[in-house]
Structures are given as structure tokens and as C-alpha cells.
Amino acid sequence: MSIVIINNLGQYNHRISRTLKYLDIENSLISNQTSLEDIEAMNPSGIILGGGPSIEQIGSCREIILNMDVPILGICLGHQIIAEAFGGKTTSADIESYAQIELNILKQEGIFEGVGDSLKVWASHKDEVVELPDEFEILANSSYCDVEAIKHKSKPIYGIQFHPEVQHTPRGGEIFTNFNNICEDY
């Protein structure tokens, strides 16, 4: 079994796949137009929803989030799709930013297991989650955004506003390793 990465047409989706390969994590990068049935037939151990330019071009992502019983990690747009699928709200950020920022880790668990109280990350703040779904809790915030990382309260579903796959997130590999461990234990 491997992790399936849903390509939402973002510039870093191929980088996610390469980073997982560097970490010896088996993965497949597939189109966001792939049907839920075809993804289920792949029997993935987990799903990563990659970033992209527009929430209007997300293909089968909502259906995947609401129907797959595997760990899910949403990155950037994937994070926003998760929030909206469960009834949250996203909007354009007050301050658009594409830079390395300092993340405040509020809960060192799950994908943040063992990373400490803060983490330097590369974040893209054009759109952001502004209303959290009831079933979710905030795992991290920053001075730029109140909702940098979320987790479903009872399911292994995570969303992060930042990009762990780029070199400007020096410890991003730990996020992916932690996610892979969650997938293997599920």
C-alpha cells in the first residue's frame, strides 16, 4: 500500500511526491479528476490533497474526504478543501504572503509529534481558513494566520496551510514521516 497524492494543479504537487520518495515512502501522484471508485481500488494507506490555484478546480476531492476511511493530509488548498467539506469557511487573506514564517505549535501530536513548540515553514497565504468546522481543532497558528494547521477531533484528517515539501520548511520531512506513521498505524 502507498500514499496517494491528489494533484490539484499546484506548482508543488510533484515536489510532494519526490520528497516522499526521498523519505522512502511509497506514493502515487494522480489527477484530481480520478474517481472515488478508482482511488478506493488503489487501496491507499493514506491520501495527501495537494495544493492548487483554485477551489473551483478540485475534482473529486470533497467526495474523497467525506468517503475514504484512511488518514488524509491536506496541504494549502487541500487544507482549505478539508475545512469547507466539513462546513468551515475560507476567504482571501487580509495580508497575502509567500514567505518563511514561524509556526506556533499548539498541540505536539499527530503530524507535529516531536517537532517542538515552533517550526519554520514556507507558507502561502492568499486564501485561508477563517471558520473552523465543529469537528476540528487547531494544532498550529502564526502571526499571519490563526488557522495554520487543523485536525479532525476523532478521525486522522489533518490540514496545513504551509508547504512541508520545500526546502524553506527545513523540518518538513518530519511532518511527512509522522503522517506516514499515522497511515501505517491506522
Side-chain angles (χ1 to χ4, degrees), residues 105-124:
I105 309 298
L106 305 174
K107 295 194 174 194
Q108 293 182 44
E109 59 185 50
I111 60 171
F112 292 119
E113 186 75 35
V115 299
D117 294 333
S118 65
L119 190 65
K120 291 196 181 305
V121 299
W122 182 259
S124 168

Side-chain angles (χ1 to χ4, degrees), residues 8-166:
N8 282 312
L9 311 175
Q11 61 182 345
Y12 296 137
N13 286 274
H14 288 84
R15 182 76 186 126
I16 296 168
S17 179
R18 280 197 310 272
T19 299
L20 293 181
K21 286 179 184 167
Y22 296 152
L23 296 168
D24 290 324
I25 299 171
E26 190 178 329
N27 71 88
S28 301
L29 179 64
I30 64 170
S31 166
N32 67 1
Q33 300 301 312
T34 306
S35 72
L36 175 62
E37 294 76 23
D38 287 345
I39 294 170
E40 287 173 334
M42 294 175 190
N43 194 27
S45 59
I47 293 176
I48 294 176
L49 302 173
S54 170
I55 204 149
E56 284 79 37
Q57 300 173 332
I58 61 167
S60 59
C61 287
R62 279 190 187 94
E63 191 178 6
I64 293 164
I65 294 164
L66 296 174
N67 293 293
M68 291 290 297
D69 185 25
V70 297
I72 297 173
L73 173 62
I75 298 174
C76 200
L77 176 63
H79 163 70
Q80 297 156 19
I81 296 166
I82 288 170
E84 287 198 358
F86 283 94
K89 183 179 175 190
T90 63
T91 190
S92 294
D94 290 335
I95 302 170
E96 285 191 28
S97 159
Y98 303 92
Q100 188 180 58
I101 64 166
E102 182 125 352
L103 208 63
N104 305 310
I105 309 298
L106 305 174
K107 295 194 174 194
Q108 293 182 44
E109 59 185 50
I111 60 171
F112 292 119
E113 186 75 35
V115 299
D117 294 333
S118 65
L119 190 65
K120 291 196 181 305
V121 299
W122 182 259
S124 168
H125 291 105
K126 181 177 184 310
D127 298 308
E128 62 188 18
V129 176
V130 292
E131 264 182 47
L132 199 62
D134 290 340
E135 302 97 335
F136 283 77
E137 60 185 335
I138 298 173
L139 295 182
N141 64 20
S142 74
S143 60
Y144 291 92
C145 178
D146 292 335
V147 186
E148 291 283 3
I150 60 175
K151 181 199 180 294
H152 194 284
K153 291 176 182 175
S154 62
K155 299 178 182 179
I157 300 176
Y158 298 85
I160 55 178
Q161 183 65 46
F162 63 93
H163 291 275
E165 70 275 13
V166 298

